Amino acid sequence: MTSLPSLPTPKKLGLVIDLDVCVGCHACVVNCKEWNTGGYGSALSDQDPYGADVSGAWLNRVHTFEVVPDGGEVVGEAGEARIVHFPKSCLHCEDAPCVTVCPTGASYKRAEDGIVLVDEEKCIGCGLCAWSCPYGAREMDLAAGVMKKCTLCIDRIYNETFEEADRQPACVRTCPANARHFGDLADPHSAVSIMVAERGGMDLMPEQGTRPVNKYLPPRKRKPLADSAQSLPSAENTDEAKGFFAWLDGMLDRI
Amino acid sequence: MHPAFSIIIFTTLSGLGYGLAAVLGLGLLDPAALATKLAHVLALLLVASGLLSSTLHLGNKQRAWRALSQWRSSWLSREGVMAIVAFVPLAWSAWLAVVESRYSPLPGLIGTALCLVTVYCTAMIYASLKAVQAWHTRLTPLCYLLFAGAGGFTLASFFAFAAQDRTVIIPLLAIFFILAAWSAKSRWRARMQAMVPLSTPESATGLGHIGRVRLLERPHVTENYLTHEMGFRIARKHAEKLWRLAVLAGGIVPAILLALLVLAGASGTFAALVAVVAVLFHYAGMFIERWLFFAEARHAVMNYYGG
Ligand code: SF4
Ligand code: SF4
Ligand code: SF4
């Protein structure tokens, strides 16, 4: 059914991604591909997988941005520019446009936990849902001709054959920096909700009106490197030179 | 947005077909004339070939019937349903004209109305996408409807002349719709060029409070589905040239040709030949217009890809 659930879903399962912590290692990207190529639905195909022009469907990608404050200088670590690694997968939006545009009923949002999924048996591969998603969270599987997207690892999080610790999305489980967290964002007492409240978790493109469930934690404030450097003795300053060094300083100034 | 050949062919051909069918439904052409019978057949063929070409880009064509199920929420589904519903009165009218040489206002006017609804649904597929800001306006369905009218009356002028009809009203309506369509389209384009982007790299990343955001590295070095589908960019100078070409071929030339025919009081074979030239120019112009409709539209996802 491609109408959205009429009531807010009792659970809002989703991810919280910490932009302060992500080191851009792409481990979540690889583990997502690895898990989902053998899990839910058809394999995540690649075209020309070992050639020079490899391309394929991925459910999670890490972009890297440079952020420059007003009047800031862009000189690597010395300037004020910041590098932010930016993992992005489906945000399981509450007002998901990808669901309502789908002509076949293949795209749907689960009424119980808010997960947005594609029923590959129904998908005709028209691609309209990918056009409607402002975040670029949907990619066509060109081999199977069906739309692919993050499943929130539905085949892990409810999987009772797994140990408790493994009932987490593959990307969350694998992140070596602990930058991705999974939980119920409808429950104000869940670890993820507390994190969002404390760190000022934010929506991406709120102006698109999609009301994403996934939240992003902004990078913490950083003191420019130059500020910390002020207290160090400067090699350029010779005013306090004494004895032999004062004499040498004078001599050198004169030549 | 990537201007896919199959979608451009689909929207232009079906727009022309529905336009012609809508004009035929008004009963302005002599149903006993051979040319009118051919017009009915051509309208059905244009609509059908347009719909067929729209299924060409599907990943799983064998399940296309499923697209009829979600008419409650999806404009694409509504378009499919309406296309099939409209086929009934159109085929009925065609039967009456071809076999019985007569016109009946009941299937005729219902057919006209359903043609317009179908074209409206097609346009709303695009206009409902907030992520493509250039399309997300009421002007989009207005342009689609007026262009269908322009194409329909231009093509109908040819069939009227071929039927030895000394019509003035059909070519005059064609000129009217051509002018109306291109002025609506000019406003559409002016809006697109003047609009402040709704989403920016700053809002897309939520990092705007720190400063200006610039893409440093794409997620992968090669292209992907998203950059193929949505990353299409056209140089501004080329877009300007193509736009002028579209207005010239799709608007100015056919309008002048039809106006000359009206002024000269022409009819018959010569007038029909001139009208064919007008139709061909108009279609070429529509093809460029539709190509630009995709090529010039920027998708919000490009905020993540530095485009
Ligand atoms: S992020 Fe995109 S694909 Fe995921 S729910 Fe939102 S609109 Fe749909
Ligand atoms: S690609 Fe599949 S899931 Fe997406 S809109 Fe088309 S039918 Fe629905
Ligand atoms: S939740 Fe699963 S499917 Fe979604 S990005 Fe993470 S690993 Fe991929």
Side-chain angles (χ1 to χ4, degrees):
Chain A
M1 204 34 221
T2 56
S3 294
L4 290 162
S6 49
L7 297 170
T9 56
K11 279 185 170 187
K12 289 196 232 165
L13 297 186
L15 302 177
V16 170
I17 294 173
D18 192 340
L19 296 179
D20 194 65
V21 167
C22 175
V23 292
C25 70
H26 290 238
C28 59
V29 177
V30 175
N31 204 26
C32 170
K33 177 91 171 174
E34 167 70 19
W35 175 259
N36 285 288
T37 205
Y40 181 98
S42 62
L44 274 176
S45 74
D46 286 311
Q47 281 64 50
D48 190 18
Y50 305 105
D53 199 21
V54 56
S55 74
W58 298 71
L59 312 184
N60 175 38
R61 291 181 186 262
V62 177
H63 301 237
T64 299
F65 294 98
E66 175 191 75
V67 194
V68 187
D70 251 357
E73 220 187 324
V74 193
V75 207
E77 286 295 307
E80 288 87 13
R82 296 191 65 162
I83 305 299
V84 180
H85 302 291
F86 195 94
K88 183 165 58 62
S89 46
C90 170
L91 295 102
H92 298 280
C93 304
E94 288 190 72
D95 262 329
C98 55
V99 169
T100 51
V101 299
C102 175
T104 61
S107 273
Y108 64 106
K109 183 170 176 73
R110 284 159 50 106
E112 59 270 40
D113 53 18
I115 299 180
V116 175
L117 287 177
V118 175
D119 177 348
E120 296 182 3
E121 297 290 301
K122 288 189 185 160
C123 176
I124 54 173
C126 67
L128 189 58
C129 54
W131 283 13
S132 77
C133 170
Y135 307 103
R138 292 180 167 235
E139 299 187 17
M140 187 84 77
D141 187 313
L142 294 180
V146 293
M147 193 53 74
K148 288 288 186 177
K149 68 177 293 302
C150 158
T151 64
L152 209 61
C153 284
I154 193 158
D155 46 358
R156 294 179 63 97
I157 57 176
Y158 291 116
N159 196 332
E160 288 182 1
T161 63
F162 279 14
E163 310 231 345
E164 186 77 47
D166 283 327
R167 289 180 214 161
Q168 296 266 328
C171 55
V172 173
R173 193 75 180 92
T174 206
C175 177
N178 218 14
R180 297 176 79 111
H181 307 270
F182 163 73
D184 179 8
L185 287 134
D187 171 7
H189 305 297
S190 67
V192 280
S193 294
I194 292 169
M195 225 179 278
V196 168
E198 284 178 353
R199 293 273 309 279
M202 58 196 181
D203 287 352
L204 304 185
M205 293 198 215
E207 68 279 3
Q208 292 280 344
T210 52
R211 298 197 295 139
V213 168
N214 285 11
K215 303 284 179 235
Y216 282 74
L217 306 180
R220 291 183 173 89
K221 281 219 164 47
R222 190 182 74 169
K223 213 158 79 173
L225 222 52
D227 287 2
S228 320
Q230 255 169 21
S231 56
L232 298 173
S234 167
E236 294 298 312
N237 191 345
T238 54
D239 290 350
E240 281 165 37
K242 289 190 190 83
F244 172 71
F245 290 110
W247 173 80
L248 189 62
D249 184 42
M251 282 301 287
L252 289 172
D253 270 347
R254 248 165 274 144
I255 2 180
Chain B
M1 301 293 291
H2 173 68
F5 191 70
S6 66
I7 301 185
I8 295 175
I9 289 281
F10 155 62
T11 61
T12 50
L13 280 190
S14 71
L16 188 62
Y18 282 120
L20 178 60
V23 175
L24 289 170
L26 298 175
L28 298 174
L29 272 73
D30 171 13
L34 176 65
T36 309
K37 298 177 197 293
L38 289 177
H40 275 282
V41 176
L42 181 69
L44 290 180
L45 281 179
L46 283 174
V47 169
S49 61
L51 287 177
L52 274 184
S53 74
S54 77
T55 61
L56 285 184
H57 78 286
L58 295 183
N60 276 286
K61 303 174 187 55
Q62 77 284 2
R63 306 187 194 129
W65 59 272
R66 282 192 187 274
L68 303 175
S69 65
Q70 302 301 313
W71 49 271
R72 281 188 209 81
S73 59
S74 160
W75 283 105
L76 179 52
S77 187
R78 286 175 197 158
E79 182 208 36
V81 172
M82 290 317 298
I84 289 175
V85 172
F87 218 81
V88 178
L90 295 191
W92 184 2
S93 284
W95 173 270
L96 291 180
V98 173
V99 179
E100 301 179 20
S101 292
R102 67 189 181 92
Y103 165 78
S104 162
L106 180 70
L109 294 179
I110 293 179
T112 300
L114 291 178
C115 285
L116 299 183
V117 174
T118 310
V119 172
Y120 181 78
C121 290
T122 306
M124 284 308 291
I125 298 172
Y126 305 109
S128 67
L129 298 178
K130 199 170 184 181
V132 187
Q133 202 183 346
W135 296 349
H136 191 59
T137 159
R138 284 177 190 284
L139 289 171
T140 300
L142 182 68
C143 291
Y144 270 71
L145 284 168
L146 290 174
F147 276 128
F153 276 108
T154 308
L155 196 48
S157 304
F158 157 73
F159 285 108
F161 290 133
Q164 307 293 330
D165 189 342
R166 300 197 74 87
T167 177
V168 178
I169 181 83
I170 297 178
L172 278 182
L173 281 169
I175 295 169
F176 166 77
F177 273 100
I178 288 172
L179 295 180
W182 283 104
S183 27
K185 184 69 197 189
S186 300
R187 283 200 51 194
W188 184 93
R189 197 154 185 274
R191 173 191 169 274
M192 177 185 74
Q193 286 171 334
M195 79 197 174
V196 181
L198 176 65
S199 297
T200 57
E202 286 75 27
S203 74
T205 55
L207 299 173
H209 64 281
I210 304 179
R212 270 182 56 76
V213 177
R214 183 178 77 86
L215 181 74
L216 192 67
E217 264 174 23
R218 283 186 170 199
H220 290 81
V221 287
T222 51
E223 298 291 313
N224 64 33
Y225 175 73
L226 299 167
T227 60
H228 273 303
E229 278 285 299
M230 294 153 214
F232 191 89
R233 288 297 289 275
I234 174 175
R236 204 168 248 275
K237 57 176 194 219
H238 295 318
E240 275 315 314
K241 267 194 200 135
L242 285 170
W243 166 251
R244 270 182 250 133
L245 213 58
V247 177
L248 185 70
I252 297 171
V253 171
I256 288 179
L257 289 178
L258 291 171
L260 288 176
L261 290 178
V262 171
L263 288 177
S267 75
T269 316
F270 175 72
L273 283 178
V274 176
V276 164
V277 176
V279 169
L280 291 178
F281 266 100
H282 177 71
Y283 185 76
M286 288 316 300
F287 194 91
I288 304 173
E289 183 271 340
R290 214 45 56 86
W291 192 86
L292 283 175
F293 177 77
F294 290 94
E296 286 194 286
R298 181 178 179 272
H299 195 286
V301 74
M302 283 302 117
N303 289 313
Y304 295 110
Y305 282 90

